[in-house]
Every structure is written in structure tokens, then in C-alpha cells.
Amino acid sequence: MDFDELIDRRNTHCNKWDDMERLFGVSPDTGIAMWVADMDFRPPAAVQNALQKMLDHGVYGYFGNETPYREAIAWWMQARHGWTVDTSDIFTTHGLVNATGLAVTAYTQPGDGVVLFTPVYHAFARTIRAAGRAVVECPLVNNAGRYEFDFAAYDAQMTGAEKMVILCSPHNPGGRVWTREELQGVADFARRHDLILVSDEIHHDLVMSGHTHIPMTKIDGIADRLVMMTAATKTFNIAGAHIGNVIISDPALKKRFADLMMGLGISPNSFGLHMVTAAYSPEGAAWVDALNLYLDGNRRLLEEGLSAIPGVQAMALESTYLSWVDFAGTGMSEDEVKRRIVTEAGVAANYGPTFGKGGETFMRFNFATPRARVQDAVNRISAAFADLQ
Ligand SMILES: Cc1ncc(COP(=O)(O)O)c(C=O)c1O
């Protein structure tokens, strides 16, 4: 678990480093990649060993006997989240963006509205629109640097055309770990407006100490309209495996999802199944505990470093390795902020407006990288705003 090791990811078909120049104009030889949400760390040895075993065997046929894989998922949810999963409720998708598209297709019709609490993970809106459904943006309230819901405003916004709401819990990009009361509020909102609730909990294992993630399935009165989505991919940095868990307990919802997957001929890739089975283990759990401690140190460094620049405020993260930083107080235009960070400092970070309403003055920085690189980014960005000091 040497999270300080600088691993060169260039020229490995790595989206984060190898597409940076094309998309940001920042050379991977001189710049720092802080955009795509994957980490610059190797997964735990258990995952590496599982892959090595496959390579050593060398025959890559169809996967059979999913029982240990399903039991590993159920073990993880019980051990880490106190959530009892019936293994027959698990669907394996090609990641959670795929799962979002499947849920939208399974439970809504073209033209229906799908509610998002924005700003939020950008692929939700892209997927909804591509499926011919309407994105209904319900803006979160930024209450002194902390996102909160305003259900009275959302109630007034609903027209009856909305059929689904997608929650990001914990929240990307604001880093909130929603409280039980807030989750109950979302569940009640879904029931009031007869919406299917899709709860994307991909960041559930990456929670800062002092905060506890509550799976939506533990909230009263929502099971009959709930689609849970989790994955090992963010937690263990195996996003390239493109594998996700969709967990549905309601029989009617389950049948619709199963029929759609069958109709599309979707079945998982064996590499992902082997990796997830190995990751959801006591060894994987110990690795995640060490990872969270390391990430917390990086978070502090980045938050304190950037917030020391006059007019810049990083949201106090409760979860994820994605720092959501507000540049509104600098009074600078979006283009000027981008110019300083991307062009001058050579730091490739996500642009706030891609996350929807409320993201206009923000940028998102991925700090799941060795600490020396986070320090380098802080130094470069501080220098790019030195005239404000
Ligand atoms: C909330 C959320 N959902 C889904 C994903 C991506 O999921 P996948 O790689 O499984 O498609 C991300 C990646 O950043 C995310 O933040």
C-alpha cells in the first residue's frame, strides 16, 4: 500500500493522462491530470493476484458459477454498510453509466422527465438526453459551502411528466454524505411524485472519518420504487473493468430490469467478475481503510492550499476524492479561471458547468494521486493566482 509511489501512466491508453493534451491542451509530460475520476494507485494485491492467476492459466472462456462473486458482493455490503443483500437481487452491468441507461430505458418512456439534483455527475444528463428523455434540473442549495435540498421548491417545479429521480449518494461533485433525514426527504419526494428512485452509491466506500454513509435501501417506504447502484470500481480503482452492481428487491422492478438485460444480450466480462470477487474481501477492506486515511491527508492539503487563495473556496468534503472548488470570490470570468489553472498552472481539472446548474463558478479536482503531486498542483495554482495575495 504505497500510495506515495509515482506510477507513470502515460502511453498506457489511460484516459486521464493520455487524452489530456487533446482535451485540455496540457502535455502529460509537464502537466498534472486531476480530471477523470480514477486514481493513480494500483489496486490491492488480492486483485492483482486474481488477474495474475487468470493470465497464468491462459484460457479466457465464458465465466461460470457466479456464486462466489455474488456472495462476495453480499459480504461487502453487510460488512461495510450493514446492508443485507439477497444475492438473487444482484444484476451485473457494464458499469454504472450503463446501469443508468438501462434504468432509464426500463422504467421511463421517451419524453418523460428524469429529475437530477444539480450540480451532479455529468454522465447522468448525457445518458438521459441520449435516450430521448428530458433532464429536469432541481438545483441544490449552496448553504455556506454545503449542498442541501429544497424540497418545497422541487415540489413546485414538478409538472407530472417526471417519472424518475436519480440521486448521487454520496454526492459527486459536492462530497456530501447525505443524512438520514435528507435521504428520507428524497424518498418522500419520490413517493409524492410517483417517481422511481435510482440511487447511485458508487462513492459509498470513500467516506471521510466522522461521516457514515447510509444506503438508501435502509430508508423507510421506498423499497417498492428503489433501484440501488454500487460498484467496486471507484473503491478499488478498477474502473477499466467496467462492472457495476444493480441491486433491486421489488419483484416487478426486478423483472423489467432482467427482461431488458436479456433482450439486449448483456452479460459480464470475466475479468471484471474475477477482480470484484477478489476485491470484496477482508484484504480489500484493509486496503480501503488505508486508502481513506491517505485520501483524507490529500484532501486537507488541497482544501487548505486552494482556500488560502483570496476568493477561492473548496467545499468541505465528506466523501469522494473529488474536490469541488468555487472561484466566484475572485470575481474572474470562467475563461480567466480556466486559463490560469489549465494553461498557466498546467493542471487539467473538470469544468463546473458540465455538472449542470449551480456549477458555473466551480472546478473539480481529483486528488487521488500521490501527495507530492497534490502539493505540486497546490504550488502551481497558488502561483497562478499570486497577484491576488
Ligand atoms: C456518481 C458516479 N456514477 C457513475 C460513475 C461512473 O461509473 P462507471 O465507470 O461504472 O460507468 C461515476 C464516475 O465518476 C460517478 O461519479
Side-chain angles (χ1 to χ4, degrees):
M1 298 182 206
D2 180 9
F3 299 115
D4 281 325
E5 182 185 350
L6 286 162
I7 301 171
D8 188 356
R9 299 181 66 191
R10 291 169 301 172
N11 304 311
T12 62
H13 294 281
C14 163
N15 180 214
K16 190 173 169 186
W17 288 89
D18 290 333
D19 289 337
M20 179 162 84
E21 183 139 37
R22 181 172 60 81
L23 297 174
F24 291 88
V26 174
S27 164
D29 300 330
T30 54
I32 304 179
M34 299 185 91
W35 59 299
V36 176
D38 71 20
M39 306 193 271
D40 294 328
F41 309 131
R42 290 196 185 90
V47 173
Q48 304 288 58
N49 294 340
L51 283 177
Q52 193 60 53
K53 211 168 142 193
M54 288 181 79
L55 295 180
D56 290 343
H57 187 268
V59 180
Y60 307 107
Y62 291 113
F63 190 90
N65 184 14
E66 285 192 9
T67 304
Y69 160 74
R70 289 171 176 272
E71 284 175 352
I73 296 172
W75 176 80
W76 186 265
M77 300 311 156
Q78 188 71 60
R80 304 292 290 189
H81 300 284
W83 168 19
T84 306
V85 171
D86 179 336
T87 55
S88 69
D89 291 347
I90 302 169
F91 296 89
T92 304
T93 62
H94 292 287
L96 294 194
V97 176
N98 176 218
T100 303
L102 290 169
V104 166
T105 304
Y107 305 119
T108 69
Q109 297 297 319
D112 286 348
V114 179
V115 174
L116 297 179
F117 301 112
T118 59
V120 76
Y121 176 52
H122 38 73
F124 292 152
R126 188 181 73 208
T127 307
I128 294 163
R129 290 194 181 108
R133 276 68 166 171
V135 173
V136 179
E137 290 192 59
C138 286
L140 292 163
V141 177
N142 182 349
N143 187 359
R146 184 180 154 92
Y147 281 130
E148 292 174 356
F149 297 103
D150 180 355
F151 292 111
Y154 310 152
D155 283 344
Q157 212 182 316
M158 294 300 103
T159 65
E162 303 79 14
K163 301 295 175 210
M164 175 179 278
V165 54
I166 303 178
L167 175 71
C168 191
S169 173
H171 185 244
N172 167 15
R176 280 296 318 279
V177 174
W178 306 114
T179 63
R180 182 172 285 281
E181 291 67 34
E182 288 170 320
L183 294 173
Q184 188 68 58
V186 174
D188 294 346
F189 169 75
R191 182 160 294 285
R192 266 199 306 286
H193 299 284
D194 197 16
L195 309 174
I196 298 289
L197 171 54
V198 174
S199 192
D200 179 335
E201 307 193 4
I202 199 167
H203 296 281
H204 66 166
D205 293 314
L206 304 170
V207 171
M208 307 293 168
S209 70
H211 300 278
T212 306
H213 169 78
I214 303 172
M216 183 52 95
T217 186
K218 291 196 178 177
I219 300 302
D220 293 335
I222 195 64
D224 61 338
R225 56 182 66 243
L226 180 62
V227 174
M228 294 289 289
M229 307 201 307
T230 70
T233 50
K234 288 281 165 250
T235 311
F236 295 98
N237 202 33
I238 53 173
H242 264 297
I243 187 164
N245 316 310
V246 174
I247 302 173
I248 309 171
S249 59
D250 178 77
L253 293 183
K254 208 166 139 177
K255 180 167 182 343
R256 272 156 78 181
F257 204 85
D259 287 348
L260 180 63
M261 282 192 69
M262 184 69 79
L264 293 171
I266 297 177
S267 60
N269 178 310
S270 63
F271 283 87
L273 295 165
H274 280 287
M275 290 163 91
V276 168
T277 309
Y280 283 152
S281 60
E283 187 185 337
W287 184 89
V288 173
D289 289 342
L291 171 74
N292 278 331
L293 278 178
Y294 190 84
L295 290 177
D296 202 29
N298 283 7
R299 173 193 64 78
R300 221 170 311 122
L301 181 63
L302 190 77
E303 274 179 9
E304 288 171 8
L306 297 192
S307 296
I309 303 169
V312 178
Q313 191 59 53
M315 270 199 177
L317 284 194
E318 299 167 356
S319 173
T320 81
Y321 49 72
L322 306 162
S323 187
W324 187 233
V325 184
D326 192 358
F327 292 85
T330 63
M332 292 176 190
S333 69
E334 207 179 302
D335 282 347
E336 176 60 7
V337 171
K338 275 192 208 170
R339 190 194 64 74
R340 289 180 182 230
I341 291 171
V342 179
T343 313
E344 208 173 311
V347 174
N350 295 87
Y351 303 137
T354 52
F355 296 81
K357 271 184 201 153
E360 293 77 8
T361 57
F362 286 80
M363 286 187 75
R364 194 192 73 173
F365 296 83
N366 176 345
F367 56 79
T369 197
R371 192 157 302 158
R373 218 180 253 142
V374 176
Q375 183 64 64
D376 189 10
V378 168
N379 295 346
R380 288 164 179 236
I381 296 169
S382 303
F385 288 90
D387 54 327
L388 300 185
Q389 299 288 347

